[in-house]
């Protein structure tokens, strides 16, 4: 059974940092691309970042370039999202997802986690 469990969300002031984690189980982790998405209140879920199974290739949304970094540890079956210089508009529920390729994980992921709330506010 595939499980994706996000953690690391919370309340942070503008300009602050958070690192989200997504622990995966139930599949061969290194064989799948992983992605992060977010959904703000009243808005549709949007792509944030993705990383290939090997970790050698990443994609980022323009809105987070230079501020967010996706990475993975295949030995720990975990994908991370390091978020720096956070802005109030980054407030959302953040979800991780998996797919067989970067293209698929960005568009039609196979599975989703339950999400973790990130709130950026002073």
């Amino acid at each position: 059974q595939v499980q994706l469990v996000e953690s690391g969300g919370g309340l942070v002031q503008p300009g602050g940092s958070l690192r989200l984690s997504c622990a995966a189980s139930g599949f061969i982790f290194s064989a799948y691309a992983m992605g992060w998405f977010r959904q703000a209140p009243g808005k549709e879920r949007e792509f944030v970042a993705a990383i290939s199974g090997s970790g050698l290739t990443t994609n980022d949304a323009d809105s987070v370039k230079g501020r967010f970094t996706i990475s993975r540890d295949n030995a720990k079956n975990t994908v991370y999202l390091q978020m720096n210089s956070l802005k109030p508009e980054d407030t959302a529920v953040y979800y991780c997802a998996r797919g067989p390729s970067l293209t698929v994980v960005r568009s039609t992921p196979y599975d989703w986690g339950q999400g973790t709330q990130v709130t950026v506010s002073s």
Side-chain angles (χ1 to χ4, degrees), residues 16-28:
S17 298
L18 279 176
R19 188 176 82 154
L20 306 183
S21 301
C22 173
S25 61
F27 61 99
I28 300 173

Side-chain angles (χ1 to χ4, degrees), residues 4-10 18-24 36 77-83 93-96 113-118:
L4 301 173
V5 180
E6 301 95 336
S7 61
L18 279 176
R19 188 176 82 154
L20 306 183
S21 301
C22 173
W36 285 97
N77 285 6
T78 302
V79 60
Y80 304 97
L81 186 68
Q82 178 66 45
M83 306 186 294
V93 178
Y94 284 71
Y95 300 88
C96 71
Q114 84 290 347
T116 186
Q117 175 71 47
V118 172

Side-chain angles (χ1 to χ4, degrees), residues 63-83:
S63 58
V64 305
K65 280 187 188 298
R67 300 188 300 123
F68 292 10
T69 302
I70 189 171
S71 63
R72 66 191 295 159
D73 185 337
N74 285 347
K76 296 182 178 180
N77 285 6
T78 302
V79 60
Y80 304 97
L81 186 68
Q82 178 66 45
M83 306 186 294

Side-chain angles (χ1 to χ4, degrees), residues 2-3 29 43 46 48 55 58 60 68 75 81 84 86-87 95 102 106 118 120:
V2 172
Q3 283 195 311
F29 184 68
K43 295 187 177 181
E46 65 173 358
V48 174
T58 61
D60 303 315
F68 292 10
L81 186 68
N84 299 328
L86 282 160
K87 305 175 182 180
Y95 300 88
L102 284 174
R106 286 190 61 153
V118 172
V120 184

